[in-house]
Amino acid sequence: MKIDVLLGLQWGDEGKGKIVDVLTPQYDIIARFQGGPNAGHTLQIDGDKHVLHTIPSGIFHPEKINIIGNGVIADPYILSQELAKLVAKGVNPLVNLRISKRAHLILPTHRMLDAAYEQALGAGKIGSTLKGIGPCYTDKTARYGLRFGDILASDFTEKYNSLKNRHLNILKSYNFDHNIQLIDKIPFDEYEKKWFEAVSELRAFPLIDSELYINKALAEGKTILAEGAQGSLLDVDFGSYPFVTSSNTIAAGVCSGLGVPPSAIGKVFGVFKAYCTRVGSGPFPTELADATGELLRDNGKEFGSTTGRPRRCGWLDLPALRYAIMLNGVTDLVMMKSDVMNDFDTINICTGYEVNGQITQDLTYETLSNPVMPIYESLPGWKKSLSGISDYNLVPENLKLYTDFIEKDAGLPIKILSVGPGREETILK
Ligand code: GDP
Ligand code: IMO
Ligand code: MG
């Protein structure tokens, strides 16, 4: 069997979590392949909202195995909190969650370093989620990192102290006193204690060689969905660098993040919002710093699932979407949140940009490093509620005009249309 992939085509928060949950019945295994607790994937099941950060979004289906892959980095404390919240809702993750021994650990000092680096950048800060993502992936590539497999070793505390001391020396050079700074409003020593308690708890979990598990499952004909975090425009290679995350968020990340060959990739579901959002700093060509932007934020409840920060909002950007489709080899488009624009008279779509007096239809290095003027096409709004629609034939004509316009430009069909946060508010085309 092939492994299907689901990932974000914009700057994250496209609604990946909801669609993974909706598609999970079609798969045996759901596996996260990159990122860490910078992610916030929201599921709304029977009106109950649940946000996942490290755990795959198939976890509410007890008969489906959920894997935290080797490409993921996890903070044991945040993970243990996530587990506790699931247990409180009657889910027993011990039954269907597996963690790769090769997944790296986010230490409390990684979070301190993240804060110190952001503070030093001042106005030029990345707008990191302050979960320690950049520093942890840095240690991974610098070959200092600690992995889940290490928590089983008798010298784990020594290894931890050695890495911690390395971090404390760096923090000193930034004049960053870890004894004064808080993590999630908790003093360092207390957080570190909770972190070690969480590590002890996780020793009881099935820690596996996930690459062996996944390849064996594929050979046995099992179906697997790889769940992405963040979005293609936050990819460390192709995103709006340096305002990106520290992992490969694109489909290529599935191969290194789960240990599967490129030939094993099947469908690629590319999830995008009917407009655009971004949280944190960095270029955003179609951003609306006006009343329309505020309306998108209010209607779409565009506040970060992980940090609560207001998300920046703007019109759909087709050159950026085409770029993401190209990078990922998307086969199936999934459009989210068109319901947010139900009341709009007119909807703009960006079809190109003017950069340094030149017109381009491509998202190039220059378009992400210079001020750009988006070029818009205007379409009429549908001015109707989408509530209760489950058949694409019953969708308002002007929404069909909108989806047709996007499909023609993208050269791909929109296979799923999401018209509300709930599982059931999903139209399969
Ligand atoms: P993810 O990180 O890609 O999983 O997305 P987030 O969970 O961070 O953000 C998506 C937000 O939109 C969540 O609050 C979802 O509950 C919500 N949502 C998902 N699909 C829809 C939709 O079709 N319409 C509306 N109005 N909200 C949606
Ligand atoms: P999900 O999976 C939206 C953004 C941060 C910041 C930049 C770097 O929920 O879509 P980091 O903490 O990774 O060093 O931050 O990336 N960012 C996200 N934005 N959704 C996410 O995840 C994000 N994860 C990171 O806001 O701009
Ligand atoms: Mg999110």
Side-chain angles (χ1 to χ4, degrees):
M1 286 302 285
K2 300 269 188 188
I3 177 164
D4 291 347
V5 180
L6 184 144
L7 44 71
L9 297 180
Q10 296 162 321
W11 281 284
D13 302 328
E14 295 88 351
K16 300 174 292 292
K18 168 186 161 163
I19 299 300
V20 170
D21 173 57
V22 166
L23 293 178
T24 294
Q26 301 177 24
Y27 293 92
D28 298 308
I29 297 170
I30 310 297
R32 270 276 302 267
F33 61 91
Q34 48 69 233
N38 47 351
H41 295 181
T42 313
L43 278 53
Q44 195 173 301
I45 304 169
D46 300 330
D48 181 38
K49 185 176 149 178
H50 193 92
V51 183
L52 294 161
H53 300 287
T54 325
I55 297 172
S57 302
I59 198 71
F60 282 91
H61 300 256
E63 68 289 3
K64 310 292 180 175
I65 296 294
N66 285 258
I67 298 176
I68 295 174
N70 61 279
V72 175
I73 58 176
D75 181 322
Y77 175 61
I78 295 177
L79 180 53
S80 82
Q81 282 192 315
E82 269 190 85
L83 291 167
K85 283 189 189 143
L86 285 170
V87 170
K89 288 191 177 169
V91 176
N92 181 5
L94 260 175
V95 173
N96 63 336
L97 182 67
R98 312 277 183 272
I99 305 171
S100 167
K101 285 181 192 163
R102 294 174 194 270
H104 278 243
L105 296 170
I106 300 174
L107 271 56
T109 39
H110 281 134
R111 297 196 60 181
M112 286 284 168
L113 285 170
D114 208 354
Y117 296 153
E118 284 285 77
Q119 201 179 77
L121 284 169
K125 71 176 182 183
I126 287 161
S128 141
T129 58
L130 300 178
K131 303 295 176 195
I133 303 297
C136 183
Y137 275 121
T138 301
D139 276 348
K140 175 178 175 176
T141 45
R143 296 160 294 177
Y144 297 127
L146 290 180
R147 299 179 290 174
F148 270 84
D150 290 318
I151 70 176
L152 304 172
S154 55
D155 61 348
F156 175 67
T157 308
E158 279 162 43
K159 282 182 169 165
Y160 169 88
N161 283 329
S162 161
L163 188 55
K164 174 185 164 184
N165 287 332
R166 175 180 283 279
H167 293 160
L168 292 183
N169 281 330
I170 303 172
L171 287 168
K172 231 181 259 165
S173 70
Y174 277 78
N175 284 324
F176 200 92
D177 186 344
H178 71 287
N179 288 312
I180 299 174
Q181 306 288 334
L182 304 177
I183 309 179
D184 292 345
K185 303 191 184 128
I186 305 172
F188 182 84
D189 287 350
E190 208 182 303
Y191 190 90
E192 190 179 46
K193 194 166 157 267
K194 287 174 186 290
W195 191 90
F196 269 100
E197 283 165 9
V199 165
S200 299
E201 185 191 328
L202 290 170
R203 284 197 185 101
F205 253 83
L207 302 179
I208 61 165
D209 291 297
S210 56
E211 65 285 11
L212 296 179
Y213 188 99
I214 286 172
N215 281 287
K216 187 162 171 272
L218 286 173
E220 286 169 356
K222 298 238 166 73
T223 49
I224 305 181
L225 181 65
E227 172 179 359
Q230 290 78 56
S232 304
L233 302 175
L234 288 171
D235 180 271
V236 67
D237 279 278
F238 299 104
S240 45
Y241 193 90
F243 302 101
V244 294
T245 191
S246 299
S247 64
N248 280 118
T249 60
I250 58 170
V254 174
C255 296
S256 55
L258 292 177
V260 293
S263 55
I265 307 281
K267 281 190 202 171
V268 180
F269 293 96
V271 186
F272 69 102
K273 278 178 194 168
Y275 48 96
C276 276
T277 65
R278 166 161 213 174
V279 63
S281 327
F284 182 177
T286 62
E287 181 170 13
L288 292 166
D290 60 8
T292 311
E294 264 171 48
L295 198 59
L296 285 170
R297 186 176 312 118
D298 288 346
N299 289 359
K301 299 193 177 70
E302 296 294 357
F303 296 89
S305 314
T306 297
T307 57
R309 292 178 293 178
R311 295 176 183 147
R312 299 156 64 192
C313 298
W315 298 119
L316 184 63
D317 184 336
L318 287 181
L321 193 68
R322 275 200 308 274
Y323 184 67
I325 290 170
M326 172 191 82
L327 293 173
N328 291 299
V330 172
T331 58
D332 296 46
L333 285 170
V334 182
M335 185 164 97
M336 314 297 291
K337 300 189 90 161
S338 27
D339 56 293
V340 168
M341 299 195 290
N342 282 350
D343 300 329
F344 283 32
D345 293 320
T346 305
I347 296 173
N348 288 346
I349 304 190
C350 168
T351 54
Y353 319 106
E354 191 184 316
V355 197
N356 301 329
Q358 305 263 328
I359 303 236
T360 174
Q361 266 78 46
D362 288 321
L363 189 85
T364 59
Y365 182 91
E366 280 69 30
T367 51
L368 285 177
S369 22
N370 289 289
V372 298
M373 278 275 291
I375 298 163
Y376 289 115
E377 187 107 10
S378 295
L379 295 181
W382 44 92
K383 310 277 286 177
K384 266 197 193 116
S385 164
L386 305 178
S387 166
I389 301 180
S390 54
D391 178 352
Y392 184 72
N393 294 315
L394 303 177
V395 157
E397 282 310 311
N398 283 354
L399 175 51
K400 283 188 188 157
L401 264 184
Y402 192 66
T403 54
D404 287 352
F405 192 95
I406 297 165
E407 288 181 336
K408 195 159 166 248
D409 187 87
L412 276 175
I414 295 174
K415 291 276 183 69
I416 304 174
L417 206 60
S418 169
V419 294
R423 264 181 184 170
E424 63 296 343
E425 293 168 297
T426 313
I427 304 171
L428 304 180
K429 245 178 91 187

